[in-house]
Amino acid sequence: MRFISLVPMLCGLAVVAQAGLNRRFAGQWGLMSAVLVNMVVATVATFGVYLAVRMVPGLWPEAAAGQGRFGGLTPWHLIPGLCGVIIVLGMPWAMSRLGAVQSALLLMAAQLITSLVWDAMVEGRPATFPRVLGSGVAFLGAAIAVWKG
């Protein structure tokens, strides 16, 4: 297995851990306060990584590309950050009502459908039969878990 294959797995682990812990912290502080702390930590950590990449471009060449220029900023550039807020706010809320398994499976099902459309329409990678079938099987598994859950 290539190292890059571990990155999405780590991200999957992080989504569940982040949502689960934020759900726990929401019990102490309220969901909005937990999300605020989460986002402050994320901002500080991102700034630290940004500085490290800018100071040592060879550390992560793909991330250093563009040299930190923000010219041509449009509303489209704000969408990823808003998506992050939706994820950080929505997953703990969903987990408190559905549980971690159902929430993660529904998240995965939505990611699979969105990924098929994104690859086809944005990346130019067609939705081949094996990719659609694999996504469909995973989606069916999510539906069964939610329906029987």
Side-chain angles (χ1 to χ4, degrees):
M1 179 185 301
R2 295 182 354 212
F3 172 74
I4 192 64
S5 298
L6 296 175
V7 173
M9 295 173 72
L10 177 63
C11 291
L13 181 147
V15 166
V16 174
Q18 178 190 52
L21 289 170
N22 276 341
R23 180 176 121 15
R24 293 270 180 168
F25 301 151
Q28 292 176 289
W29 307 327
L31 183 56
M32 290 310 303
S33 296
V35 169
L36 179 63
V37 169
N38 181 99
M39 291 302 201
V40 167
V41 171
T43 300
V44 170
T46 301
F47 190 67
V49 172
Y50 176 82
L51 287 177
V53 167
R54 296 276 288 138
M55 294 169 89
V56 186
L59 183 67
W60 192 359
E62 297 94 343
Q67 301 301 317
R69 295 184 188 102
F70 296 105
L73 186 68
T74 69
W76 284 103
H77 293 96
L78 305 179
I79 291 175
L82 295 174
C83 289
V85 172
I86 291 169
I87 293 164
V88 173
L89 185 59
M91 284 303 290
W93 187 57
M95 284 176 65
S96 71
R97 285 153 179 77
L98 301 172
V101 171
Q102 287 181 338
S103 297
L105 285 169
L106 289 167
L107 172 77
M108 181 192 69
Q111 287 174 317
L112 288 169
I113 291 169
T114 305
S115 296
L116 284 170
V117 172
W118 182 275
D119 274 356
M121 297 183 74
V122 178
E123 304 294 337
R125 295 183 180 130
T128 62
F129 179 74
R131 294 173 76 201
V132 172
L133 180 63
S135 298
V137 169
F139 189 84
L140 183 61
I144 290 169
V146 170
W147 177 55
K148 292 290 186 180

